[in-house]
Amino acid sequence: MSEATIEGQFKSTYPVTRDKIDFYQKNGYVQFNDVLNSDEVNKLRTGLARAIDDKKGFVRDLAGGDGGGNQKILQMLNLWEYHDEVKQYITGGRIARMAAALTGSDSIRIYHDQALVKEPGPSAPSPWHQDQPYWPSKEPGMLSCWMALDHVTVERGCMQFIAGSHEWGEFSPISFEGEGPALKDLLNDEQRKAWNPIPVELQPGSCTFHHGLTFHYTNANTTDHVRRALVAIFIPDGVNYAGDEKMDGPFSPTISSEKGEPLRGSKFIKLV
Ligand SMILES: O=C(O)CCC(=O)C(=O)O
């Protein structure tokens, strides 16, 4: 591969058509194929392998283990701070510009990235949930790009969505450790009738974007192969800080906004 192409990694623009924007706005999620080429996917796999070795920053088992061996869902936050490959991916701008197009926003900031790894064997499902209840934003609007680094099938833990559920309002946060009610228990009759999970199987380098209120789920990985996903969460314009009562996460100390002001923090760098 030429130097020029390597230089351009993660930077070139991926076209987001009007149809895709309309689909996202109507359904609360959308799929894009071949957003990354195989060199870019391999670069991110390299960064992820190093992150799994050195476990810098915030690392835990999202399903309640100790983050040591045998994690059911290994979650590692803000790889971009520690691993150059991921920094290039996040700051290169391709996926941030896609987020800007989907939301119609003039500016996009990163909230954080996260690697979510389901090894074969000890893996757990990620229960049906919305993301917005875990985020410090007052208004909905934040969104995630879920990038597949493996060929993800239903059995390997691909994303599943309830189309249109981003219009159903904000529900309580759901425990990934299996405590408390399931999201489905909180629905009204009409919402229960509309419950029709849509699995989105992806090739490596393909992704989905989903709105912070969209209901989503992934199976435990029941295959013999690892499932690696790299998620980037974005803050578009018009999202304000909800205040302390909604924030006890790892980035609370970095938030510089007062309640009701645009959500800003030292790590929420501007990408677009
Ligand atoms: O990858 C998973 O298992 C869950 C992903 C997820 O919940 C998210 O990206 O918001």
Side-chain angles (χ1 to χ4, degrees), residues 98-126:
M98 294 170 78
L102 291 174
T103 54
S105 184
D106 289 333
S107 93
I108 290 287
R109 288 170 192 270
I110 185 75
Y111 175 42
H112 65 78
D113 68 45
Q114 59 178 341
L116 293 171
V117 179
K118 293 193 181 190
E119 295 284 353
S123 156
S126 305

Side-chain angles (χ1 to χ4, degrees), residues 10 14 31-42 44-45 89 94-95 98 145-152 202-209 228-230:
F10 306 119
Y14 184 99
Q31 172 180 355
F32 293 99
N33 291 333
D34 303 323
V35 172
L36 303 181
N37 63 36
S38 57
D39 292 305
E40 291 168 331
V41 169
N42 284 333
L44 291 182
R45 286 175 175 166
Y89 169 60
R94 184 182 305 153
I95 55 166
M98 294 170 78
C145 171
W146 193 100
M147 182 62 69
L149 298 184
D150 293 297
H151 173 211
V152 286
L202 296 171
Q203 295 294 332
S206 297
C207 70
T208 47
F209 281 75
R228 294 165 292 188
L230 187 56

Side-chain angles (χ1 to χ4, degrees), residues 114 116 118 126 129 131 146 159 210 216 218 227 231:
Q114 59 178 341
L116 293 171
K118 293 193 181 190
S126 305
H129 68 281
D131 293 331
W146 193 100
M159 288 285 268
H210 65 274
H216 56 285
T218 69
R227 189 223 70 174
V231 183

Side-chain angles (χ1 to χ4, degrees), residues 179-251:
E179 293 152 8
L183 193 49
K184 210 172 169 185
D185 298 339
L186 308 175
L187 300 182
N188 64 32
D189 288 348
E190 202 183 327
Q191 291 160 342
R192 273 169 212 264
K193 269 193 221 135
W195 189 268
N196 179 28
I198 299 170
V200 183
E201 299 194 330
L202 296 171
Q203 295 294 332
S206 297
C207 70
T208 47
F209 281 75
H210 65 274
H211 185 280
L213 288 175
T214 302
F215 288 30
H216 56 285
Y217 168 91
T218 69
N219 272 332
N221 177 9
T222 56
T223 72
D224 295 333
H225 306 284
V226 65
R227 189 223 70 174
R228 294 165 292 188
L230 187 56
V231 183
I233 302 167
F234 296 114
I235 309 171
D237 289 335
V239 169
N240 296 311
Y241 179 41
D244 295 343
E245 71 269 17
K246 209 179 158 215
M247 191 52 180
D248 58 359
F251 300 108

Side-chain angles (χ1 to χ4, degrees), residues 138-139 239-242 256-264:
K138 192 158 156 270
E139 305 78 6
V239 169
N240 296 311
Y241 179 41
S256 52
S257 319
E258 297 295 329
K259 183 174 178 170
E261 288 180 355
L263 179 58
R264 298 287 179 267

